[in-house]
Amino acid sequence: MQPRLRAVPPKVFALVSVLAAAALVAAAAPAPELPPPAAATFTPDKPLSERVVAYQIEARLDTEKKTLEATEVLTYRNRTGRPLDLFPFHLYLNAFQPQSTFMREVRQGSPDFQWKEKYRGSIEVTRLEVVGQGDLTGKMEFIQPDDGNPDDRTVFQVRLPRPVPPGAEVQFKIAFRAQLPEVLARTGTKRNFFLVGQWFPKVGVWWRGAWNCHQFHRNTEFFADFGTYDVKVTLPQGTVVGATGVEVSRQPNPDGTQTLTFRAEDVHDFAWTADPNFRVVEDSFAGGLGPVKIRLLMQPGHLSQAPRYLQALQGTLRLYDRWFGPYPYTQITVVDPPHGGFGAGGMEYPMFITGGTTWWMPAGLLFPELATEHEFGHQYWYGMVATNEFEDAWLDEGINAYVETKVMAELYGEETSAVNLWGMTASDTRVSRLQYRAVPDTDPMTRSAYEFMSGGAYGTVTYAKTATVLHTLEGLVGEETLRRALQTYFQRYRFTHPTEEDFLRTVEEVSGQDLGWFFDQAVRGTHVLDYQVRLLRSDRADWHEENPPEEKKGETLFRSVVVVHRKGDFIFPVEVEVKFDNGETVRERWDGRDRWVRFRYEKKARVVSAEIDPDHKVWLDTNLFNDSRTRESNRRATRKLAQYWLFLTQFLAQWLAWLA
Ligand SMILES: [Zn+2]
């Protein structure tokens, strides 16, 4: 369901990718010119995170040329326990160049994609000084740790003349200028709209005993250390600005510009947006740790849909607060990108997300709601539980996709959580399963995101398969237990960089079950789960008699056989429900280790049907049509209906993609 016109896989991979919304009426007012600054209420007594980094950035945006001139002071605290003399930095905006690894991957995944100069972005460090060690601008060198592409300039490293001792701080003073691309993915401009993400030199993460600083890729994104951000942005007056963190001051300048200052604490990235057309809609949520200010920046033509964003966000905040723990920041900003700025939609940054809609979006297509839920969910799975998205993308995208299905079902109904239009309904959970079925066996979930067979395989496995795996796990350990495991995982690892082992161990610990056999196949393997009822038969026990008496219900003895076949290589214990024509039902359990099993019965009744997984807990089964068999089968009708339905939803998604 990847839209054809898009060069880059949508951040929200499901139906959601497609776009954004319509309906209802909003009570919103245009942003007043230079209101008094909001109070800086964001200083917890004890920092939430270890605060490895502190960034102070001053940037001036030229809205005509779409360029930035900036200075950055980065204070890095060496908490690695060893002396450090080598520091890698991301320069992500250089990805938007025809020879970059990102652009090669885009072209590879979308051979129709045409390069245009408007897509060019760049960032150049004009000076790099290390306090006490002098000007090291000449010592910077580009490196390509992932693919050796010498034309990729998205990572550089610099070696210091003297190492930084463990426990000490080092300060980098950097000057840089940047050209923002027309938005293609995650960052950029569209007319007067600016989404400024991935825009400053950002140091890598010392993780598991080494630097981790990947190049910018098509499929995957970010990994950075927690800390504080003090960011000053200078741009024309009359422009509405939103950002990670909270606004602490706003100054008009004599030259017609204004300077806004933002402060963010215990986050690992900083993004901002600017557009003179934004209409500001404000609301608040009464969270477990106090009020959370909601700031919605709407396109004027989408204003009537503000209530849809707000309802989804409020509901998501409430359920996350209840299920996993409170949202600890005082603000969340939601950005509604303009028409044609679709690449800016469905993105997550700390305390700052982008949604997406269109003026005509019918209420029964829940794209804006799905995008809002999904991107807010990333505040937990990425924002706070800051896993390595390059290497373990399933831990944020996949866990987030699973929770998305749970939240959407709770808020909008189990069977209507994605589409509820013109008598058609679609559940977010089922949509995930259908997507997973398309590419179930190419790559393990644990593969580094930039090494998947294709963008489609990455999206399918990381989002849809993970959601489906977690739904199946829910069937194994129970919904409540899995929720408790996620809560424990969140509370234990928030503001750190856990690994997949940390997650899997937590699930085993909370459930009290040894789940290695499941994780080996579902998470680390590419096993395909498919069970079928192969045979269903009843024979009269007296079949050999020359003149058998007439068959009499309740008196004639039958020998019945049910054969269940494990067609895939995924071994999973299943239940089989066998029904007889006297109303009797038998539940069998099979460990699935052999390729097939035969159940025999001798009863004064014929077998009527057999169904694998009668409680519908094994979401990973790739073919549900062969899961049951009835003596007088009505399977054909069911199948036809299901395929018609699948066609309709896919058609709808494609259609929306073209219009977007
Ligand atoms: Zn996501």
Side-chain angles (χ1 to χ4, degrees), residues 55 57 70-72 74 88-92 123-125 127-128 156 174-177 198-204 229:
Y55 286 91
I57 306 176
T71 59
E72 168 180 325
L74 162 64
F89 284 81
H90 296 285
L91 287 181
Y92 288 123
I123 174 168
E124 186 193 356
V125 173
R127 185 179 153 82
L128 184 145
F156 79 86
I174 297 170
F176 67 95
R177 58 170 157 258
Q198 313 310 325
W199 56 288
F200 59 93
K202 188 165 66 175
V203 70
Y229 284 83

Side-chain angles (χ1 to χ4, degrees), residues 10-13 221 346-348 374-375 378 381 389 396-398 400-401 404 463:
K11 195 63 186 59
V12 185
F13 192 78
E221 297 161 333
M347 267 309 298
E348 72 278 17
H374 182 94
E375 304 312 334
H378 276 306
W381 325 113
E389 195 175 359
D396 68 296
E397 290 300 355
N400 192 35
E404 172 196 308
Y463 293 68

Side-chain angles (χ1 to χ4, degrees), residues 16 45 129 136 166 171 199 287 301 342 393 439 442 446 467 469 537 551 564 621 637 652:
V16 185
D45 299 337
E129 177 196 335
L136 301 181
Q171 212 165 49
W199 56 288
F342 202 59
V439 196
T442 54
T446 50
V469 164
R537 213 168 92 184
E551 185 177 321
V564 175
D621 195 317
L652 205 61

